[in-house]
Amino acid sequence: MSGLINYVSCGVLWLGLLVKAPDLLRHRRDPYLRTICAVLGLAGLCFFLGAPPTVGAVNRIGDVPNLAAPVTYVVITGYCAASQLLVVHWRGGPRVRRTARRWLLAYAVVVLGITVTFALGEAPVERRTDLDTYYATTPFIAQMIVLYLLAHLTAVTVTAVSSLRWARRVRGGLRAGLTLLGTGSLCGAGYSLAKLVAVGARWSGRDWSKLDTTVSPAAAGLGALLTVVGVLVPLAAPRATEWRRARRTYARLEPLERALDDLLTRRTLRLPRPGLASPTTRLVWRQTSIHNALSHLDAYFDRELYDRTRAGVLAATGEAERAEAAAWAAVITAAVRAEAEPGRRVPPRDGGGRLPARVPDPAALTRIADALTGAAPAPAAASVPSGTTTAGTA
């Protein structure tokens, strides 16, 4: 009677609503976003109201035996309507508003039916966990039970079919989210079906109340977990992809930062290393340190060495980006040696012979780091004529 499954399921769903709340505040007029939040909020409220302690509290406050039943069923019907609106917005098309109004009208009729049948029926004995099977043969109360279960079964079935059908046409995080949402809706269908079977068994004189009190809550709890994860996965997938790319780029830039490490330490050009930070923040830190070092080395870059190396690699590979990366790797290596040479005078910054770009763009930095590891050929030494000296070579 503790209602632990209900409260945990409610917490999971409302946690998903809390995650979506900032987006809703920023985009209040987005009907799709409003519908998602309504689905999460109403689903959580269904579990909260269905918990036995909450049922007892509602009955006690309302001073009506089993008042919690129609209240909960009305909220479940609202959840069904929100689920249908979510499907309508997913599908899109020119008749979204008209279709949405039709579903709202249909479920408004269901709400009216629940209210009227409860008022006409008699349910004097409080039942906190097995009301559906206990009153399955009571006039009007039985109709109320079947009405809300059929409405719920229709909503979750349509949501499941639409989600799984759409999942076959998309990829990535959206596909995973739709698959989870569709599976969660199927579990919701298991909730309705278990109760309907238990009610049908009661009509035939059998007692299958365990389906009502054990199987259906478990199916509903699993469905809630899958539903909230399905809603959140498409939101988390882009961030996860961004972090994965940032980690890969961060690792690829390590050879370039290692080549500049002595300069960064000696000239105090490296920013403090971030502690507990996201992969994106660590990547920006490494890129900033590399840019600081390359800006300091600008006066030591040798345009002639750059041009010779680039021409040699381009002739060997026919790849312009690879040739440019190898040329940068050559001039950076030479500039680091020249800058560290004791007593070396800094070349004048007269603008003559400077490279086209003082600092490569972030994409070029990774290719330069690859060239430093030997991923790109660098026949620069062979292309430099014997006996030639250039500014920036040791």
Side-chain angles (χ1 to χ4, degrees):
M1 297 285 285
S2 67
L4 180 61
I5 293 179
N6 290 69
Y7 290 133
V8 170
S9 301
C10 173
V12 169
L13 287 160
W14 282 354
L15 178 61
L17 177 61
L18 183 64
V19 172
K20 292 293 295 180
D23 292 334
L24 181 62
L25 293 176
R26 288 192 297 267
H27 308 285
R28 296 181 180 87
R29 297 185 178 181
D30 186 345
Y32 175 69
L33 191 56
R34 289 203 305 264
T35 305
I36 287 181
C37 291
V39 168
L40 293 174
L42 290 172
L45 187 58
C46 292
F47 282 104
F48 179 77
L49 291 173
T54 308
V55 170
V58 171
N59 294 337
R60 187 169 56 255
I61 293 172
D63 197 25
V64 176
N66 299 306
L67 176 63
V71 172
T72 303
Y73 298 163
V74 165
V75 174
I76 290 175
T77 304
Y79 162 76
C80 295
S83 299
Q84 294 293 356
L85 293 183
L86 181 62
V87 173
V88 169
H89 288 301
W90 274 349
R91 289 175 175 173
R95 299 182 179 179
V96 169
R97 292 185 178 180
R98 180 183 301 178
T99 305
R101 283 196 297 267
R102 288 177 178 176
W103 278 114
L104 287 175
L105 179 60
Y107 280 99
V109 171
V110 174
V111 169
L112 179 61
I114 291 172
T115 304
V116 171
T117 51
F118 181 76
L120 294 175
E122 294 184 3
V125 180
E126 183 185 65
R127 308 301 298 185
R128 297 189 180 186
T129 59
D130 63 346
L131 183 142
D132 292 340
T133 49
Y134 187 86
Y135 287 107
T137 58
T138 302
F140 295 109
I141 301 299
Q143 284 76 12
M144 176 189 71
I145 293 168
V146 173
L147 182 62
Y148 100 85
L149 287 176
L150 290 178
H152 181 265
L153 181 61
T154 300
V156 294
T157 301
V158 172
T159 302
V161 172
S162 300
S163 300
L164 296 175
R165 182 179 297 170
W166 189 16
R168 293 161 55 187
R169 301 198 297 265
V170 296
R171 293 290 182 271
L174 181 57
R175 182 175 189 174
L178 287 169
T179 302
L180 289 168
L181 184 58
T183 306
S185 298
L186 287 177
C187 291
Y191 163 86
S192 300
L193 286 173
K195 283 183 171 289
L196 284 171
V197 170
V199 168
R202 184 74 174 82
W203 291 345
S204 62
R206 297 181 179 87
D207 181 13
W208 290 0
S209 58
K210 286 293 183 182
L211 291 175
D212 182 22
T213 59
T214 304
V215 176
S216 61
L222 179 59
L225 176 62
L226 293 174
T227 297
V228 71
V229 174
V231 170
L232 296 180
V233 160
L235 301 176
R239 179 65 60 85
T241 300
E242 178 186 352
W243 283 4
R244 186 167 58 250
R245 290 174 180 172
R247 282 193 294 266
R248 285 202 302 262
T249 304
Y250 180 86
R252 286 181 64 186
L253 288 176
E254 182 182 2
L256 180 55
E257 186 191 14
R258 189 167 58 246
L260 300 168
D261 183 69
D262 177 69
L263 172 65
L264 288 167
T265 303
R266 196 161 29 83
R267 301 294 184 181
T268 320
L269 299 173
R270 183 186 278 113
L271 297 176
R273 182 185 293 271
L276 296 175
S278 68
T280 304
T281 301
R282 292 198 298 270
L283 174 61
V284 171
W285 168 81
R286 176 163 280 179
Q287 289 173 332
T288 302
S289 298
I290 292 172
H291 284 158
N292 290 345
L294 296 182
S295 296
H296 181 80
L297 290 174
D298 177 60
Y300 295 90
F301 289 155
D302 185 349
R303 178 59 182 266
E304 293 182 6
L305 178 60
Y306 176 90
D307 290 339
R308 285 195 304 272
T309 305
R310 185 180 184 281
V313 177
L314 185 61
T317 66
E319 300 177 16
E321 289 185 348
R322 195 173 185 183
E324 182 180 357
W328 270 110
V331 296
I332 288 172
T333 302
V336 168
R337 292 200 302 267
E339 192 276 339
E341 186 177 336
R344 177 90 177 197
R345 294 180 58 186
V346 179
R349 295 177 177 269
D350 56 1
R354 295 277 74 86
L355 296 180
R358 292 182 58 188
V359 178
D361 59 63
L365 289 180
T366 57
R367 293 193 293 269
I368 295 170
D370 292 341
L372 286 170
T373 63
S383 63
V384 177
S386 179
T388 301
T389 59
T390 61
T393 57

